[in-house]
Amino acid sequence: MSRIDPAAARAFSESTWEESILPALERYIAIPNRSPSFDPQWREHGHMEPAVALVADWCRARAVPGLALEVVRLPNRTPLLFMEIPGAGAETVLIYGHLDKQPEMAGWSEGLGPWTPVRRGERLYGRGGADDGYSAFAAVSALELLARAQARHARCVVLIEACEESGSPDLPAYVDHLAARIGQPSLVIALDSGCGSYDQLWGTTSLRGLATGVLRVEILQEGVHSGDARGIVPSSFRILRELLSRIEDERSGEIRVPELHAKIPPDRIAQAEVAAQVLGESVSGRFPFVPGARPMGGDPAQRILARTWKPTLSITGIDGVPPLVSAGNVLRPYTAAKLSLRLPPTADAARATAAVRRVLEADPPHGARVRFEPELPGPGWNAPAFAPWLERAMADASQTHWGKPALFMGEGGTIPFMGMLGEKFPNAQFLITGVLGPGANAHGPNEFLHIPTAKRLTCAVAHVLEAHAETKP
């Protein structure tokens, strides 16, 4: 029987968030700690160290018995927060989050900004509060909640990395470096995912992989008068557009490269159908379409599967194109585009990236110089089946703290750490969850943290940790 009194747990979470976590998160949001891919001079700019210190100091100050925190630093890598908390029994739980941020992005509403924390009712606006600054605070608070209730939990290891938004290139080295201290976790909790709604606990059952790179098309050595050359010299933009059609049907969005597809497991289809019955049209309605615009796909279940198990292409940046105010009558020498390809969870990201490069660089139109420069592929992840105890614990936590059953769904984003952990710890159970629900808009303008969900999730993590300890004597 649980030692945690639900009312007392919610009261503790409420007061801790209001009096301590939210003020700390506001200071955290104000630090422009962009991930290294978006700030190659992050050391010189000096924003990461204050972010690390803020989170570390807050965690050390909490009343968690035995908590030991170290900022681990490997040469030429971003730092990593490593926490150990002793517990009952021989099992280990690994809890994961990150503290680096996406870049600013234009389009923030009046009065809001990426580095300006603003609270409006149940929302705390600003870059990185929900993705994923809250995670360390919620994890340590859940452990403090257990200590106050004198409830059991296994030994816990907390990893907070600083380059997740860059694809976690430094994390494998840290996991290897700390392997003996991490041990073999039987449960992994990651707090960097999404939720289909703010009405219940959501478990993420899969994450898409990621293949990214820059496609560069060069046709001239320098820009020339467009009236003089057009009709003889092809446009680098048209060539790029033609190349993109090799990998995507521009009318339907269907990806044409076979290596980027994978079969959807029947259980994931069934989960999508259940989630769609609850979410309905909010599956697509959560996004800020302009008036009259329509979503892709068919019914809500098909749209869930399209954003979680189908490959897709996005162009996330373009170079070689001047802003409109300085767009003269010049045929530009080159066009370069950043390609972001989301992959099915079970697709081989390295094989998919190689296939994209092969397709794009083969037989360049008009003999143009075409190069696809890939970045580090991000593997997807498909969760193992839930053990009965974990399924019950999630159901109980959701019913206790939201008053509704837990639901499960894949997510369209990528957490490279999950794929790596799935390989390293094949016998572990996974609770992947988060606070990024409708409208939260991680990576975009007006990103916000839904405060009530974060408070409830703190209680839910404590609930699952206690249930894990009770099933693992």
Side-chain angles (χ1 to χ4, degrees), residues 218-435:
E218 298 177 77
I219 194 66
L220 293 167
Q221 298 183 51
E222 61 185 16
V224 296
H225 191 294
S226 60
D228 185 32
R230 203 65 180 95
I232 297 176
V233 179
S235 161
S236 63
F237 186 87
R238 179 173 65 79
I239 296 171
L240 184 139
R241 184 177 62 182
E242 181 179 340
L243 292 170
L244 292 179
S245 293
R246 295 179 178 182
I247 59 175
E248 180 197 45
D249 184 320
E250 60 269 22
R251 295 184 64 86
S252 67
E254 187 74 15
I255 296 300
R256 290 172 163 159
V257 183
E259 290 87 347
L260 274 63
H261 288 265
K263 185 178 179 180
I264 306 175
D267 58 336
R268 300 302 179 229
I269 296 174
Q271 288 173 344
E273 290 172 348
V274 172
Q277 290 174 9
V278 173
L279 298 177
E281 291 303 318
S282 68
V283 169
S284 55
R286 62 189 290 182
F287 300 108
F289 286 100
V290 298
R294 299 183 302 276
M296 299 166 59
D299 61 33
Q302 291 173 320
R303 288 172 183 160
I304 288 174
L305 293 171
R307 68 175 283 271
T308 58
W309 277 89
K310 296 289 185 69
T312 56
L313 169 66
S314 299
I315 306 301
T316 59
I318 292 185
D319 201 0
V321 180
L324 294 177
V325 69
S326 56
N329 292 325
V330 175
L331 194 61
R332 298 174 295 100
Y334 79 95
T335 303
K338 177 71 172 289
L339 276 56
S340 175
L341 287 144
R342 297 288 174 176
L343 307 174
T346 55
D348 184 323
R351 181 169 175 261
T353 301
V356 169
R357 184 174 192 174
R358 183 179 65 251
V359 169
L360 290 174
E361 292 186 351
D363 190 20
H366 299 283
R369 184 183 298 162
V370 174
R371 297 289 182 272
F372 179 68
E373 299 173 1
E375 297 178 354
L376 185 69
W381 174 78
N382 187 31
F386 289 122
W389 75 263
L390 180 54
E391 198 163 10
R392 286 194 304 269
M394 294 177 67
D396 291 346
S398 187
Q399 200 66 52
T400 299
H401 298 294
W402 278 267
K404 291 186 178 181
L407 287 177
F408 306 94
M409 184 171 65
E411 281 294 332
T414 305
I415 307 177
F417 186 45
M418 289 300 101
M420 182 178 67
L421 279 190
E423 293 180 0
K424 285 185 174 292
F425 308 121
N427 297 320
Q429 286 286 289
F430 290 83
L431 168 56
I432 314 302
T433 188
V435 296

Side-chain angles (χ1 to χ4, degrees), residues 7 22 33 43 71 84 99 130 135 142 148 166 193 215 218 253 280 304 307 356 381 432 450:
L22 288 171
N33 181 35
R43 292 182 185 85
V71 180
E84 290 183 86
L99 54 71
S135 59
R148 291 169 66 93
S166 301
S193 192
L215 174 60
E218 298 177 77
I304 288 174
R307 68 175 283 271
V356 169
W381 174 78
I432 314 302
H450 190 258

Side-chain angles (χ1 to χ4, degrees), residues 59-347:
C59 293
R60 287 192 181 105
R62 304 307 299 181
V64 178
L67 185 150
L69 186 150
E70 178 185 351
V71 180
V72 186
R73 301 178 190 276
L74 293 178
N76 302 315
R77 298 191 183 277
T78 52
L80 177 132
L81 283 176
F82 180 79
M83 294 180 247
E84 290 183 86
I85 303 91
E91 301 292 328
T92 293
V93 176
L94 174 59
I95 306 177
Y96 167 84
H98 69 87
L99 54 71
D100 56 316
K101 305 179 184 180
Q102 283 278 321
E104 296 86 338
M105 180 66 74
W108 291 74
S109 298
E110 185 176 356
L112 303 178
W115 321 126
T116 305
V118 175
R119 181 172 181 176
R120 293 180 180 173
E122 296 181 334
R123 300 177 175 186
L124 176 62
Y125 288 89
R127 176 67 80 234
D131 184 25
D132 188 39
Y134 89 99
S135 59
F137 301 101
V140 172
S141 296
L143 289 162
E144 186 176 356
L145 191 163
L146 287 165
R148 291 169 66 93
Q150 297 184 327
R152 283 162 44 93
H153 64 79
R155 170 182 177 264
C156 291
V157 170
V158 182
L159 297 183
I160 306 295
E161 67 159 314
C163 63
E164 190 275 341
E165 300 293 5
S166 301
S168 298
D170 295 341
L171 194 57
Y174 278 110
V175 172
D176 289 342
H177 176 71
L178 297 166
R181 295 171 66 182
I182 293 172
Q184 288 288 320
S186 56
L187 173 64
V188 175
I189 299 176
L191 301 175
D192 185 30
S193 192
C195 51
S197 70
Y198 301 117
D199 298 328
Q200 56 238 114
L201 177 63
W202 287 81
T204 297
T205 54
S206 64
L207 296 157
R208 283 194 290 188
L210 184 62
T212 58
V214 174
L215 174 60
R216 185 180 178 94
V217 175
E218 298 177 77
I219 194 66
L220 293 167
Q221 298 183 51
E222 61 185 16
V224 296
H225 191 294
S226 60
D228 185 32
R230 203 65 180 95
I232 297 176
V233 179
S235 161
S236 63
F237 186 87
R238 179 173 65 79
I239 296 171
L240 184 139
R241 184 177 62 182
E242 181 179 340
L243 292 170
L244 292 179
S245 293
R246 295 179 178 182
I247 59 175
E248 180 197 45
D249 184 320
E250 60 269 22
R251 295 184 64 86
S252 67
E254 187 74 15
I255 296 300
R256 290 172 163 159
V257 183
E259 290 87 347
L260 274 63
H261 288 265
K263 185 178 179 180
I264 306 175
D267 58 336
R268 300 302 179 229
I269 296 174
Q271 288 173 344
E273 290 172 348
V274 172
Q277 290 174 9
V278 173
L279 298 177
E281 291 303 318
S282 68
V283 169
S284 55
R286 62 189 290 182
F287 300 108
F289 286 100
V290 298
R294 299 183 302 276
M296 299 166 59
D299 61 33
Q302 291 173 320
R303 288 172 183 160
I304 288 174
L305 293 171
R307 68 175 283 271
T308 58
W309 277 89
K310 296 289 185 69
T312 56
L313 169 66
S314 299
I315 306 301
T316 59
I318 292 185
D319 201 0
V321 180
L324 294 177
V325 69
S326 56
N329 292 325
V330 175
L331 194 61
R332 298 174 295 100
Y334 79 95
T335 303
K338 177 71 172 289
L339 276 56
S340 175
L341 287 144
R342 297 288 174 176
L343 307 174
T346 55

